[in-house]
Amino acid sequence: MSLDQPPAVRTQPELAEMAPLAPGGLRFAARVIDALVLLVLWLVATVATGMFGDVMRAQERGDGLMESAEALDPAKAVLAFGIVYLGYFLYEGALLAHNGQTLGKRAVGIRVAMLADGDLPGHRGWTRAAVYAFPGLLGGSPFGLFGQLFWVVNSLWFVRDHPYHQCLHDKAAKTVVVRA
């Protein structure tokens, strides 16, 4: 089955009146677009905390990449991680609660829906966003690898999940991703 073909699970009663499940390729494309939002948040956070300036000054001195990284203030890095992931949580939670779509999902024509009835997720959009974004907060701590590993496992969970192709953040919020 190609990535742009929806999974064949139309026999489940919960999905009988719902739009077809979104194919994996569109879900991935939406996350790539939303990753650009994350990148912008990272740029803002590094400028706001002074990390960006520290790296630029190290580069101007001719320091290599490793020396530049070693010169970073750990407190600034933790603060930047906090700003980024809190910002991403607010971005994703607000948009999913409002209309079930982040900018990436809107761009590719998919949305988040409640598994039980296909409605907008409402407050469950915040649950979904929390499970997706908050493990990233560990990135600025000694447990950073755990947060990143969870993020990868969470994001790929839908590939093996049947019949609804849910990620862990979908399971926590009782949502599915469907065509808009």
Side-chain angles (χ1 to χ4, degrees):
M1 177 170 75
S2 76
L3 289 179
D4 61 339
Q5 297 299 314
V9 293
R10 305 306 301 164
T11 59
Q12 277 63 35
E14 292 89 349
L15 296 179
E17 302 298 321
M18 196 182 307
L21 291 173
L26 290 180
R27 291 178 71 157
F28 178 74
R31 278 295 177 200
V32 167
I33 293 167
D34 288 332
L36 295 175
V37 172
L38 197 62
L39 182 64
V40 169
L41 286 171
W42 181 247
L43 181 60
V44 168
T46 58
V47 169
T49 61
M51 262 180 60
F52 186 81
D54 293 348
V55 170
M56 295 308 293
R57 282 186 291 282
Q59 292 296 309
E60 287 172 1
R61 286 192 307 266
D63 291 352
L65 184 59
M66 291 306 292
E67 292 86 8
S68 296
E70 289 170 2
L72 291 178
D73 180 354
K76 289 180 181 179
V78 170
L79 182 58
F81 272 104
I83 291 169
V84 168
Y85 289 105
L86 179 61
Y88 194 80
F89 164 71
L90 294 172
Y91 158 77
E92 184 152 321
L95 291 177
L96 293 181
H98 175 68
N99 66 4
Q101 294 179 301
T102 60
L103 296 177
K105 285 176 178 52
R106 182 174 297 161
V108 301
I110 61 177
R111 71 178 181 88
V112 174
M114 292 304 299
L115 177 61
D117 56 15
D119 284 346
L120 292 175
H123 72 279
R124 292 292 193 158
W126 291 101
T127 302
R128 190 177 189 276
V131 174
Y132 185 76
F134 285 157
L137 285 172
L138 297 174
S141 77
F143 302 104
L145 183 59
F146 173 77
Q148 300 307 311
L149 181 62
F150 177 81
W151 218 2
V152 170
V153 170
N154 176 23
S155 296
L156 294 176
W157 196 267
F158 82 96
V159 174
R160 301 282 302 172
D161 184 70
H162 297 286
Y164 304 118
H165 298 275
Q166 294 171 293
C167 292
L168 297 176
H169 54 269
D170 288 309
K171 289 186 175 297
K174 297 180 175 66
T175 59
V176 290
V177 181
V178 298
R179 289 187 182 265

